[in-house]
Amino acid sequence: METGSPGNTGTAGDEQAGAEHAGAEPGWTGLPPGLLRMRRLLLVVWLGLLTIGLAVLLNLFAGPAWAAFALLPLALMAWGWVMLGRNWRSWRYAERADDLLISRGVLWREETVVPYGRMQLVEVTSGPVERHFGLASVQLHTAAAATDATIPGLDPAEAERLRDRLTELGEARSAGL
């Protein structure tokens, strides 16, 4: 199943139990489509404003023929639209028995493994734009700054559930249980 797809709505815990016993890949959970909508809207707004501003300035100072160069940001917008979709589909995470896996990247794949016992702080953050779109991010802090990880664009209820579960598992692992 493609990660990040709307059909991938099961929780990692449900898929994880059968996959780990069968020796298969862990149950990955993709990011919700709201993150993609938010990023694409921001792309259209900023590059749309840039296109209009550039067209007006070029028309005023260089003439109408040069104003056609203002269409270049529109080409960048089309390319960015596709790239944002590819990037969104590349993000996924999986809760395993002893650690959390976070995978991302299209050209350069990056997979972060954060052992529960090494987690020092788990935060749920949501800026004004994220709150408007009903999204939140989970940030994991460990003793080694290189292993800090973030899962962006989650539903706030899922972000809180994940924070509580990771905190509980982290406390249990660090206490040696």
Side-chain angles (χ1 to χ4, degrees):
M1 180 178 288
E2 183 177 86
T3 61
S5 65
N8 190 6
T9 57
T11 63
D14 297 341
E15 298 170 6
Q16 169 183 337
E20 286 185 5
H21 294 297
E25 196 173 307
W28 292 100
T29 303
L31 299 182
L35 178 66
L36 180 62
R37 281 193 298 273
M38 178 190 76
R39 288 180 174 174
R40 283 182 169 168
L41 179 66
L42 290 172
L43 174 78
V44 168
V45 167
W46 287 111
L47 287 179
L49 290 173
L50 178 66
T51 300
I52 293 168
L54 191 58
V56 168
L57 288 174
L58 285 174
N59 190 32
L60 286 175
F61 295 113
W66 288 94
F69 283 104
L71 296 177
L72 291 176
L74 293 180
L76 184 61
M77 187 186 308
W79 178 77
W81 187 276
V82 172
M83 291 299 109
L84 284 173
R86 290 184 64 194
N87 179 269
W88 171 75
R89 282 189 300 277
S90 76
W91 276 86
R92 57 190 187 159
Y93 66 96
E95 299 172 59
R96 299 193 306 182
D98 296 321
D99 51 32
L100 177 74
L101 295 175
I102 301 172
S103 180
R104 63 194 168 279
V106 177
L107 192 54
W108 286 277
R109 298 284 304 158
E110 185 175 333
E111 193 164 291
T112 305
V113 179
V114 184
Y116 297 134
R118 302 281 182 178
M119 290 182 200
Q120 292 183 331
L121 176 67
V122 181
E123 290 182 303
V124 174
T125 60
S126 185
V129 176
E130 285 179 310
R131 278 195 308 274
H132 178 75
F133 282 89
L135 301 172
S137 296
V138 174
Q139 176 137 19
L140 311 162
H141 298 279
T142 64
T147 58
D148 286 0
T150 302
I151 304 173
L154 296 174
D155 177 66
E158 170 64 8
E160 290 175 11
R161 183 207 64 82
L162 189 59
R163 177 200 58 208
D164 294 343
R165 176 165 163 69
L166 294 176
T167 301
E168 178 184 310
L169 289 168
E171 289 172 357
R173 297 297 190 279
S174 66
L177 298 176

